[in-house]
Amino acid sequence: MWRNLKMRVFRKSSYISFNGWERGLLFLKGLACMLVLNYCFYRKMIAFLFLWLPALFFAAKEAERLRNRKREEIRQQFKEMLSLTAAGQRAGYAVENAFLSGYDDLVHLFGQQSAICKMLRKIQAGMENHLAIGPLWKTIGDDCDIVEIREFAQVFSIAKESGGNMVGILESTASLIADKTETKKEWSRQALFLVYDGRTKYGGGYFLCHFGGGAYPKAEEIHTHGIHGGGFPLR
């Protein structure tokens, strides 16, 4: 488990990186994890000698969550790029030039140092060296570990060789990414509701009982039965 987490978190990518502020925030989160664990369970300075391990694991999970959020941002940028490319194809551009036709719009939307602009600069450099676009997109998808880009690269290569409907492929890929994004948002809303409900039911009673038993005479009853009546027994 740790090896898989380490590969995902510390994997180098040309398009996903953490700035100094984000690294500092991850460090502070790990430090806060150590302080909270020590305060709740030990309250001894010597406990910090072995609490660094769960703190490191917590910081690594936070880094993975941040990396996944950056991947989601790249998916949205990639979707916008596909829509602009499809518009360029309808305007009469060749498919190779259609990818670059919306570069200025993407710079305006996301900035020159955004991941999608870096990708398009790599595509342009590959075109100038007479490299095939399909394998270039696959390399980019492997670099940032985004399945949709890898799948698009495969479909694009096949359609390019067989003369398929390129506009339809671009639009369908953009629509697929949009649908996946909406599905993930719905799952996140449901998961957030379940987590909030569970923390309210069990966490509130625990902290009232543990820290405020004297101030709140019914704290143990709340912890036993839960705020909503579905807690767990103390003994």
Side-chain angles (χ1 to χ4, degrees):
M1 179 179 178
W2 171 253
R3 181 179 298 178
N4 182 45
L5 181 64
K6 181 180 177 181
M7 289 178 62
R8 290 183 60 83
V9 171
F10 297 104
R11 174 177 180 160
K12 293 183 179 180
S13 173
S14 302
Y15 309 102
I16 301 176
S17 60
F18 299 152
N19 56 37
W21 166 254
E22 290 168 336
R23 291 192 186 97
L25 188 59
L26 290 173
F27 172 78
L28 291 177
K29 286 183 177 181
L31 181 61
C33 177
M34 292 177 63
L35 293 173
V36 170
L37 289 175
N38 193 7
Y39 179 79
C40 291
F41 299 105
Y42 304 103
R43 301 190 183 183
K44 296 180 180 179
M45 292 297 296
I46 196 172
F48 287 112
L49 294 177
F50 56 86
L51 284 176
W52 65 269
L53 188 59
L56 180 62
F57 184 80
F58 175 76
K61 292 294 290 184
E62 287 295 308
E64 183 183 13
R65 187 177 294 111
L66 178 59
R67 188 178 291 270
N68 288 335
R69 188 163 69 243
K70 288 178 178 288
R71 285 195 187 97
E72 191 59 38
E73 292 174 358
I74 293 176
R75 286 189 184 94
Q76 296 305 310
Q77 295 175 13
F78 185 70
K79 178 180 74 70
E80 293 296 331
M81 186 274 299
L82 292 177
S83 300
L84 291 172
T85 302
Q89 276 253 276
R90 291 196 211 93
Y93 287 100
V95 64
E96 291 82 2
N97 296 325
F99 281 112
L100 305 177
S101 63
Y103 178 81
D104 292 337
D105 293 326
L106 293 171
V107 169
H108 180 72
L109 285 172
F110 306 112
Q112 192 171 11
Q113 296 303 315
S114 61
I116 193 63
C117 291
K118 292 180 181 179
M119 293 176 185
L120 288 181
R121 288 197 291 270
K122 182 171 183 176
I123 294 294
Q124 184 179 22
M127 290 169 54
E128 292 173 354
N129 290 297
H130 307 288
L131 298 177
I133 294 181
L136 283 175
W137 277 119
K138 186 177 186 306
T139 301
I140 292 172
D142 292 337
D143 189 343
C144 55
D145 193 23
I146 294 180
V147 176
E148 290 82 359
I149 297 180
R150 288 199 295 261
E151 292 177 347
F152 169 76
Q154 295 174 355
V155 174
F156 178 84
S157 298
I158 295 172
K160 189 76 167 57
E161 294 176 0
S162 61
N165 181 10
M166 202 62 69
V167 175
I169 291 173
L170 295 168
E171 292 178 340
S172 62
T173 304
S175 177
L176 178 64
I177 294 175
D179 292 342
K180 284 186 176 181
T181 301
E182 283 301 316
T183 302
K184 287 180 179 179
K185 286 182 179 179
E186 183 61 29
W187 287 350
S188 297
R189 283 193 290 265
Q190 294 294 332
L192 183 62
F193 172 76
L194 292 175
V195 169
Y196 175 78
D197 185 65
R199 286 177 179 175
T200 302
K201 184 180 293 185
Y202 302 121
Y206 173 81
F207 280 102
L208 282 175
C209 179
H210 189 69
F211 296 108
Y216 301 95
K218 294 187 177 181
E220 184 171 337
E221 180 182 349
I222 293 174
H223 180 56
T224 304
H225 301 290
I227 294 176
H228 302 298
F232 50 88
L234 284 170
R235 301 176 183 82

